[in-house]
C-alpha cells in the first residue's frame, strides 16, 4: 500500500483538500522497475519479471492468460507455468477460480505492476487480450476489462468494431472516468464524418453533464472546427454551451473575455445560437446586465429558433431577470435535465442561489454535514483535473460555514482564500461566511468592511439576489453597536429586496432583521413558523439562535436548536447557546458531557492554530481564563505543550475530531 501511494503521487493522481487525500482522474500508479517493492518479488531483468508484468494485465482472462503470456514474453507455456508456480510459492500469487488460472494475493500489486509496462508492451498485451475475447472465446467477468484493453490497443484492432463496443460501453450509464475514456477512444477510431460528429457531440454533452468541463470543451471545439456541416442545429447549440462552460473552467476569465469580445462570431451555426451562447458567456463573466440586454435586444430571433436554442435562451433570460431583481417576461424553460443545456442553466441557477441549495458538490444541499464536506472536498479535488466550475460559490460558502461552526476557523479561512483565487459566479455571496468568520474571531470592524465590500460588488454588477443576507448582517452589526436607526434602514432595504425578489429566503431575512432591530415577537413567531414549514432543521436551529440572542424564543426552541447543533458537531453554535441558556436560566443537561465538549472545543481551536487571545474571543472569556483552562486540561490529559495536544488530536489520540 505504501508503494501504491508512492505510485499515485508519482502519477500526480493525489490531491489533498482540507486535510483529506483524494485519488483524482483515472491515473494509474507509476513506479520504476527498480523500486524496492519489485526487488522483493524477482530480479527486475529476469524472465520472471516479464511474466509478472504480463500477468498483471492478462490475469482477468483466467486460463486463457497462460498462452497469451507465453506469446507476449516469447517463452513456452511450460516455462511460464513453472515461473508462476515459483511466484505462488513465494506468496505473490494464488490459484485462480479456474484450472490453470492465477490471481494476485494482493490485488493492488497487479495495479502497480501494470504501470511498469512500456507503451509497446501495453499495446501488444491489449491486442492479444482483445483477439482472445473476440476470436478465441476468452471471457472476463469485469465489464470494464474489454473497453480498457480496446482503449490501450487503439488502431491495432478493427477500428469500426472497437468503436462500436466502446460507444456501447459508454452508454452503460457509469458516468465516470472510464466512460469518458471510452468515448474519447471511440471518437479517434471513427472515420465517417457524421458518426464522428455524433460521437464528439455525445462526448461533449456527457462530460459537461458530469462537470468534466475541460474534456467537454476539447470535444466541442474539435467537432465545431472540423465537422460543422455534420452537426444539426440543436447539436451545434449544445456544443456551443459545452465549449463556453469549458472556457469558464480555466480558473480565470481571460479566455471568456476574448470569446465575448470577438470569438463568438466565428462559431458555426445561426445568429440565434451565437446570441444565446454569448449571453451565457456574459453570465459566466458575472456581466449579468449585458447578458440580459443581449437576450432582450431581439428576443423573437432566438425564441423562434431550434428547440435547444429557444429552451436555453428562456432559461438564461429567467436567471438573469431573477438576479437583477426584474420581473421575468419569459416562461419557465423546458430544458432536458440530462442534457448540456440543462447542465449549463443549472450551473448558472445553482450558483446564483435561485434554488435554495446546490446539487452534487454543494454542502448546502445536505443536512448531514459530514457527507456535505466529503462531497465538497472530492469535488474540489476532481476540479484540479477536470476544470474549476465557476458555479461552485455556494459549495465554498457552505463549506466555510460548516468549518467555522465546528471551530476549524483557519481551515475555513483557507477554503475562502481558495475560493477567492478562482473565477467564480456571484463572488459577493462569499462575503457572508467571511464576515461571519471575522465576527467569530472578534474582528468586528473587519466584519463590517467585508459586508460593505460584498454589497458594493453586488451593486456594481447590478445584482439583487443574495444581498438580503448581507444587509441582515449589517443590521445586526448596527444593532450591536447601538445604531438603531441605521439598523432599521437595513431592515427596510431587506423588505424592498424581498418584494422584488419574491423568495422565501428574502422574506425570512426581513423577518429576522425585524427580530434583531425591533425585538418584534410577531416577526420571531412568523420566521420560526416559516422555517418549520420548510422542513430544514439546520436552518431552524440557526434562526433559533438569532431569535434567542435577541431575547425571544421559548426554552423548548432553544433546546431543540441545541440538539440539532449537537448532531452536526457544531461546537461554536452549541457554546453560544449554552451561554444564552445559562443567562436565561434554562438548564443544559449532562454536566460531564458539557465539560467534555468544552474541552473538545478548546482542543479544536488550539489544534487549528489559534492563540489564547483568539480562543478567548471565540469562547467569550478572557485570555487568562483560557490559559487556566488549558493548564488544567493538560494536567488531566497528560500533554506537555500545545504542539503535543495538536499532534495527538490530528492523530486521533483524543476524542477531538480532526
Amino acid at each position: 500500500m505504501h508503494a501504491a501511494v508512492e505510485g499515485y503521487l508519482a502519477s500526480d493522481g493525489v490531491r489533498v483538500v482540507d486535510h483529506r487525500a483524494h485519488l483524482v482522474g483515472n491515473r494509474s500508479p507509476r513506479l520504476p522497475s527498480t523500486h524496492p517493492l519489485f526487488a522483493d518479488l524477482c530480479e527486475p531483468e529476469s524472465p520472471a519479471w516479464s511474466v509478472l508484468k504480463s500477468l498483471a494485465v492478462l490475469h482477468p482472462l483466467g486460463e486463457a492468460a497462460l498462452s497469451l503470456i507465453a506469446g507476449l514474453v516469447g517463452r513456452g507455456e511450460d516455462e511460464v507455468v513453472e515461473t508462476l508456480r515459483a511466484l505462488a510459492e513465494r506468496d505473490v500469487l494464488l490459484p485462480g477460480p479456474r484450472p490453470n488460472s492465477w490471481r494476485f494475493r494482493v490485488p493492488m500489486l497487479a495495479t502497480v505492476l501494470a504501470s511498469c509496462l512500456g507503451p509497446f508492451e501495453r499495446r501488444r498485451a491489449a491486442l492479444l487480450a482483445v483477439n482472445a475475447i473476440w476470436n478465441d472465446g476468452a471471457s472476463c467477468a469485469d465489464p470494464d476489462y474489454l473497453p480498457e484493453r480496446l482503449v490501450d490497443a487503439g488502431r491495432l484492432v478493427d477500428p469500426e468494431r472497437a468503436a462500436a463496443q466502446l460507444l456501447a460501453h459508454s452508454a452503460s450509464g457509469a458516468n465516470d472516468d472510464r466512460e469518458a475514456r471510452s468515448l474519447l477512444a471511440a471518437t479517434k477510431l471513427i472515420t465517417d464524418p457524421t458518426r464522428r460528429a455524433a460521437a464528439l457531440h455525445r462526448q461533449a454533452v456527457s462530460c459537461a453533464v458530469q462537470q468534466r468541463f475541460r474534456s467537454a470543451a476539447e470535444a466541442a471545439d474539435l467537432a465545431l472546427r472540423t465537422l460543422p456541416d455534420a452537426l444539426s442545429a440543436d447539436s451545434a447549440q449544445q456544443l456551443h454551451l459545452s465549449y463556453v462552460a469549458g472556457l469558464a473552467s480555466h480558473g480565470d476569465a481571460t479566455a471568456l473575455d476574448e470569446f465575448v469580445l470577438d470569438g463568438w462570431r466565428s462559431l458555426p451555426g445561426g445568429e440565434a445560437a451565437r446570441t444565446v451562447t454569448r449571453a451565457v458567456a456574459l453570465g459566466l463573466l458575472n456581466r449579468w446586465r449585458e447578458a440580459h440586454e443581449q437576450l432582450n435586444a431581439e428576443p423573437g430571433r432566438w425564441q423562434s429558433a431550434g428547440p435547444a436554442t429557444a429552451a436555453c435562451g428562456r432559461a438564461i433570460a429567467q436567471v438573469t431577470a431573477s438576479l437583477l431583481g426584474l420581473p421575468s417576461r419569459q416562461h419557465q424553460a423546458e430544458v432536458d435535465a440530462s442534457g448540456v443545456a440543462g447542465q449549463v442553466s443549472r450551473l448558472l441557477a445553482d450558483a446564483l442561489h435561485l434554488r435554495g441549495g446546490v446539487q452534487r458538490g454543494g454542502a448546502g444541499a445536505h443536512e448531514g454535514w459530514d457527507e456535505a464536506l466529503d462531497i465538497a472536498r472530492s469535488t474540489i479535488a476532481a476540479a484540479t483535473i477536470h476544470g474549476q466550475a465557476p458555479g461552485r460559490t455556494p459549495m465554498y460558502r457552505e463549506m466555510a460555514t460548516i468549518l467555522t461552526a465546528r471551530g476549524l476557523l483557519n481551515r475555513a479561512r483557507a477554503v475562502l482564500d481558495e475560493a477567492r483565487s478562482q473565477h467564480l459566479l456571484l463572488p459577493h455571496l462569499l462575503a457572508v461566511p467571511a464576515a461571519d468568520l471575522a465576527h467569530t474571531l472578534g474582528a468586528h470592524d473587519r466584519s463590517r468592511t467585508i459586508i460593505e465590500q460584498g454589497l458594493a460588488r453586488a451593486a456594481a454588477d447590478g445584482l439583487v439576489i443574495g444581498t438580503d443576507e448581507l444587509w441582515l448582517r449589517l443590521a445586526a452589526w448596527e444593532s450591536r453597536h447601538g445604531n438603531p436607526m441605521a439598523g432599521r434602514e437595513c431592515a427596510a432595504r431587506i423588505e424592498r429586496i424581498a418584494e422584488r425578489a419574491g423568495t422565501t429566503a428574502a422574506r425570512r431575512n426581513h423577518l429576522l432583521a425585524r427580530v434583531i432591530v425591533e425585538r418584534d415577537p410577531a416577526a420571531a413567531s412568523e420566521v420560526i413558523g416559516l422555517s418549520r414549514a420548510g422542513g430544514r432543521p439546520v436552518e431552524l436551529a440557526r434562526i433559533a439562535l438569532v431569535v434567542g440572542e435577541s431575547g425571544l424564543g421559548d426554552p423548548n426552541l432553544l433546546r431543540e436548536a441545541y440538539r440539532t447543533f449537537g448532531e452536526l458537531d457544531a461546537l461554536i453554535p452549541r457554546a453560544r447557546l449554552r451561554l444564552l441558556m445559562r443567562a436565561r436560566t434554562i438548564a443544559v443537561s449532562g454536566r460531564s458531557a458539557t465539560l467534555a465538549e468544552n474541552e473538545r472545543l478548546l482542543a479544536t481551536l488550539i489544534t487549528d492554530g489559534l492563540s489564547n487571545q483568539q480562543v478567548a474571543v471565540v469562547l467569550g472569556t478572557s485570555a487568562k481564563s483560557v490559559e487556566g483552562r488549558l493548564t488544567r486540561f493538560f494536567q488531566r490529559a497528560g500533554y506537555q505543550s500545545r504542539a503535543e495536544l495538536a499532534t495527538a488530536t490530528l492523530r486521533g489520540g483524543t476524542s477531538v475530531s480532526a
Side-chain angles (χ1 to χ4, degrees), residues 568-611:
L568 297 169
D569 203 29
L571 297 174
I572 288 183
R574 289 260 291 185
R576 287 171 59 186
L577 273 170
R578 278 196 296 275
L579 291 174
L580 175 62
M581 294 166 75
R582 188 177 301 119
R584 293 178 56 173
T585 65
I586 301 171
V588 179
S589 60
R591 186 176 182 279
S592 60
T594 298
L595 176 61
E597 184 171 309
N598 282 331
E599 290 188 343
R600 194 155 62 88
L601 175 55
L602 179 62
T604 299
L605 296 171
I606 294 299
T607 300
D608 200 49
L610 270 64
S611 67

Coordinates of all heavy atoms in Angstrom, one line a residue, residues 568-611:
L568 N -24.8 17.8 14.6 CA -23.9 18.2 13.5 C -22.5 18.5 14.0 O -21.6 18.8 13.2 CB -24.5 19.5 12.8 CG -25.8 19.4 12.2 CD1 -26.4 20.8 11.9 CD2 -25.7 18.5 10.9
D569 N -22.2 18.3 15.3 CA -20.9 18.6 15.8 C -20.6 20.1 15.6 O -19.4 20.4 15.4 CB -19.8 17.7 15.3 CG -18.6 17.6 16.2 OD1 -18.8 17.7 17.4 OD2 -17.5 17.4 15.7
A570 N -21.6 20.9 15.7 CA -21.4 22.4 15.5 C -21.0 23.0 16.9 O -21.9 23.5 17.6 CB -22.6 23.0 15.0
L571 N -19.7 22.9 17.2 CA -19.3 23.2 18.6 C -19.5 24.7 18.9 O -19.8 25.0 20.1 CB -17.8 22.8 18.7 CG -17.5 21.4 18.5 CD1 -16.0 21.2 18.6 CD2 -18.1 20.5 19.6
I572 N -19.2 25.6 18.0 CA -19.3 27.0 18.4 C -20.8 27.5 18.6 O -21.1 28.1 19.6 CB -18.6 27.9 17.3 CG1 -17.1 27.7 17.5 CG2 -19.0 29.4 17.4 CD1 -16.2 28.5 16.6
P573 N -21.7 27.1 17.7 CA -23.1 27.5 18.0 C -23.6 26.8 19.3 O -24.4 27.4 20.0 CB -23.9 26.9 16.8 CG -22.9 26.9 15.7 CD -21.6 26.6 16.3
R574 N -23.2 25.6 19.6 CA -23.5 25.0 20.8 C -23.0 25.8 22.0 O -23.7 26.0 23.0 CB -22.9 23.6 20.9 CG -23.6 22.6 19.9 CD -24.6 21.7 20.6 NE -24.0 20.8 21.5 CZ -24.6 19.8 22.2 NH1 -25.9 19.7 22.0 NH2 -24.0 19.0 23.0
A575 N -21.8 26.2 21.9 CA -21.2 27.0 23.0 C -22.0 28.3 23.2 O -22.2 28.8 24.3 CB -19.7 27.3 22.7
R576 N -22.3 29.0 22.1 CA -23.1 30.2 22.2 C -24.5 30.0 22.8 O -25.0 30.8 23.6 CB -23.3 30.8 20.8 CG -22.0 31.5 20.2 CD -22.2 31.8 18.8 NE -23.3 32.8 18.5 CZ -23.7 33.2 17.3 NH1 -23.1 32.7 16.2 NH2 -24.7 34.0 17.2
L577 N -25.1 28.8 22.4 CA -26.4 28.5 23.0 C -26.3 28.2 24.5 O -27.2 28.5 25.3 CB -27.0 27.3 22.3 CG -27.8 27.7 21.0 CD1 -28.2 26.4 20.3 CD2 -29.1 28.4 21.4
R578 N -25.2 27.6 24.9 CA -25.0 27.3 26.4 C -24.9 28.6 27.2 O -25.5 28.7 28.2 CB -23.7 26.4 26.6 CG -24.0 24.9 26.3 CD -22.8 24.1 26.9 NE -21.5 24.4 26.3 CZ -21.1 23.8 25.2 NH1 -21.9 22.9 24.6 NH2 -19.9 24.0 24.7
L579 N -24.2 29.5 26.7 CA -24.1 30.8 27.3 C -25.5 31.5 27.4 O -25.9 32.1 28.4 CB -23.1 31.7 26.6 CG -21.6 31.4 26.7 CD1 -20.8 32.3 25.8 CD2 -21.1 31.5 28.1
L580 N -26.2 31.4 26.3 CA -27.5 32.0 26.2 C -28.5 31.4 27.2 O -29.2 32.0 27.9 CB -28.0 32.0 24.8 CG -29.5 32.5 24.5 CD1 -29.6 33.9 24.9 CD2 -29.8 32.2 23.1
M581 N -28.5 30.0 27.2 CA -29.4 29.3 28.0 C -29.1 29.5 29.5 O -29.9 29.6 30.4 CB -29.4 27.8 27.7 CG -29.9 27.5 26.3 SD -29.5 25.9 25.6 CE -30.7 24.9 26.5
R582 N -27.8 29.6 29.8 CA -27.4 29.8 31.2 C -27.9 31.2 31.7 O -28.3 31.4 32.8 CB -25.9 29.7 31.4 CG -25.4 29.8 32.8 CD -23.9 29.6 32.9 NE -23.5 28.3 32.3 CZ -22.7 28.2 31.3 NH1 -22.2 29.2 30.7 NH2 -22.3 27.0 30.8
A583 N -27.7 32.2 30.8 CA -28.2 33.6 31.1 C -29.7 33.6 31.3 O -30.2 34.4 32.1 CB -27.8 34.5 30.0
R584 N -30.4 32.7 30.6 CA -31.9 32.7 30.8 C -32.3 31.6 31.7 O -33.5 31.3 31.7 CB -32.5 32.5 29.4 CG -32.3 33.8 28.5 CD -32.8 33.6 27.1 NE -34.2 33.3 27.1 CZ -35.0 33.3 25.9 NH1 -34.4 33.5 24.8 NH2 -36.2 33.0 26.0
T585 N -31.4 31.1 32.5 CA -31.7 30.0 33.5 C -32.4 28.8 32.9 O -33.4 28.3 33.5 CB -32.5 30.6 34.7 OG1 -33.8 31.0 34.2 CG2 -31.7 31.7 35.3
I586 N -32.0 28.4 31.7 CA -32.5 27.2 31.0 C -31.5 26.1 31.2 O -30.4 26.3 30.8 CB -32.8 27.5 29.5 CG1 -33.8 28.6 29.3 CG2 -33.3 26.2 28.8 CD1 -33.9 29.1 27.9
A587 N -31.9 25.1 31.8 CA -31.0 24.0 32.2 C -30.4 23.3 30.9 O -31.2 23.1 30.0 CB -31.7 23.0 33.1
V588 N -29.1 23.0 31.0 CA -28.4 22.2 30.0 C -28.1 20.9 30.6 O -27.3 20.9 31.5 CB -27.2 23.0 29.4 CG1 -26.5 22.1 28.4 CG2 -27.5 24.3 28.9
S589 N -28.7 19.8 30.1 CA -28.5 18.5 30.8 C -27.1 18.0 30.4 O -26.5 18.3 29.4 CB -29.6 17.6 30.3 OG -29.6 17.4 28.9
G590 N -26.6 17.1 31.3 CA -25.4 16.4 31.0 C -24.2 17.2 31.4 O -23.4 17.6 30.5
R591 N -23.9 17.4 32.7 CA -22.8 18.2 33.1 C -21.5 17.7 32.6 O -20.6 18.4 32.1 CB -22.8 18.4 34.6 CG -21.7 19.4 35.1 CD -21.8 19.6 36.6 NE -20.9 20.6 37.0 CZ -19.6 20.3 37.3 NH1 -19.1 19.1 37.1 NH2 -18.8 21.3 37.7
S592 N -21.2 16.4 32.8 CA -20.0 15.8 32.3 C -19.8 15.8 30.8 O -18.7 16.1 30.3 CB -19.9 14.3 32.8 OG -20.9 13.6 32.3
A593 N -20.9 15.6 30.1 CA -20.8 15.7 28.6 C -20.5 17.2 28.2 O -19.8 17.4 27.2 CB -22.1 15.3 28.0
T594 N -21.1 18.1 28.9 CA -20.8 19.5 28.6 C -19.4 19.9 28.9 O -18.7 20.6 28.0 CB -21.8 20.4 29.5 OG1 -23.1 20.2 29.1 CG2 -21.5 21.9 29.2
L595 N -18.8 19.4 30.0 CA -17.4 19.6 30.3 C -16.5 19.0 29.2 O -15.6 19.7 28.7 CB -17.1 19.0 31.6 CG -15.6 19.1 32.0 CD1 -15.1 20.6 32.1 CD2 -15.3 18.4 33.3
A596 N -16.8 17.8 28.8 CA -16.1 17.2 27.7 C -16.1 17.9 26.4 O -15.1 18.1 25.7 CB -16.5 15.7 27.5
E597 N -17.3 18.5 26.1 CA -17.5 19.2 24.8 C -16.7 20.5 24.9 O -16.1 21.0 23.9 CB -19.0 19.5 24.5 CG -19.2 20.2 23.2 CD -20.7 20.2 22.8 OE1 -21.3 19.2 22.9 OE2 -21.1 21.3 22.5
N598 N -16.7 21.2 26.1 CA -16.0 22.4 26.2 C -14.5 22.2 26.0 O -13.8 22.9 25.3 CB -16.2 23.0 27.6 CG -17.5 23.8 27.7 OD1 -18.0 24.3 26.7 ND2 -18.1 23.8 28.9
E599 N -14.0 21.1 26.5 CA -12.6 20.7 26.4 C -12.3 20.4 24.9 O -11.2 20.7 24.4 CB -12.2 19.6 27.3 CG -12.2 20.0 28.7 CD -11.6 18.9 29.6 OE1 -11.5 17.7 29.2 OE2 -11.2 19.2 30.8
R600 N -13.2 19.7 24.3 CA -13.0 19.3 22.8 C -13.0 20.6 22.0 O -12.2 20.7 21.0 CB -14.2 18.4 22.4 CG -13.9 17.7 21.1 CD -14.6 16.4 21.0 NE -16.1 16.6 21.0 CZ -16.8 16.8 19.9 NH1 -16.2 16.9 18.7 NH2 -18.1 17.0 20.0
L601 N -13.9 21.6 22.3 CA -13.8 22.8 21.5 C -12.5 23.5 21.8 O -11.9 24.1 20.8 CB -15.0 23.7 21.9 CG -15.0 25.1 21.3 CD1 -15.0 25.1 19.8 CD2 -16.2 25.9 21.8
L602 N -12.0 23.6 23.0 CA -10.8 24.2 23.3 C -9.6 23.5 22.6 O -8.8 24.2 21.9 CB -10.5 24.1 24.8 CG -9.2 24.7 25.4 CD1 -9.1 26.2 25.1 CD2 -9.0 24.4 26.8
A603 N -9.6 22.2 22.6 CA -8.6 21.4 21.8 C -8.7 21.7 20.3 O -7.6 21.8 19.6 CB -8.7 19.9 22.1
T604 N -9.9 21.8 19.8 CA -10.1 22.0 18.4 C -9.5 23.4 18.0 O -8.8 23.5 17.0 CB -11.5 22.0 18.0 OG1 -12.1 20.7 18.3 CG2 -11.8 22.3 16.6
L605 N -9.8 24.4 18.8 CA -9.3 25.8 18.5 C -7.8 25.8 18.6 O -7.1 26.5 17.8 CB -9.9 26.8 19.4 CG -11.5 26.9 19.3 CD1 -12.0 27.8 20.5 CD2 -11.9 27.5 18.0
I606 N -7.2 25.2 19.6 CA -5.7 25.1 19.7 C -5.1 24.4 18.6 O -4.1 24.8 18.0 CB -5.3 24.5 21.1 CG1 -5.8 25.3 22.2 CG2 -3.8 24.3 21.1 CD1 -5.3 26.7 22.3
T607 N -5.7 23.2 18.2 CA -5.1 22.5 17.1 C -5.2 23.2 15.8 O -4.3 23.1 14.9 CB -5.9 21.1 17.0 OG1 -5.8 20.4 18.2 CG2 -5.4 20.3 15.8
D608 N -6.3 24.1 15.7 CA -6.4 24.8 14.4 C -5.5 26.0 14.4 O -5.4 26.7 13.4 CB -7.9 25.3 14.3 CG -8.2 25.7 12.9 OD1 -8.0 24.9 12.0 OD2 -8.8 26.8 12.7
G609 N -4.7 26.2 15.4 CA -3.6 27.3 15.4 C -4.0 28.6 16.0 O -3.3 29.6 15.8
L610 N -5.1 28.7 16.8 CA -5.5 30.0 17.4 C -4.7 30.3 18.6 O -4.3 29.4 19.3 CB -7.0 29.9 17.7 CG -7.9 30.4 16.6 CD1 -7.9 29.5 15.4 CD2 -9.4 30.5 17.2
S611 N -4.4 31.5 18.8 CA -3.7 32.0 20.0 C -4.7 32.0 21.2 O -5.9 31.9 21.0 CB -3.2 33.4 19.8 OG -4.3 34.3 19.7

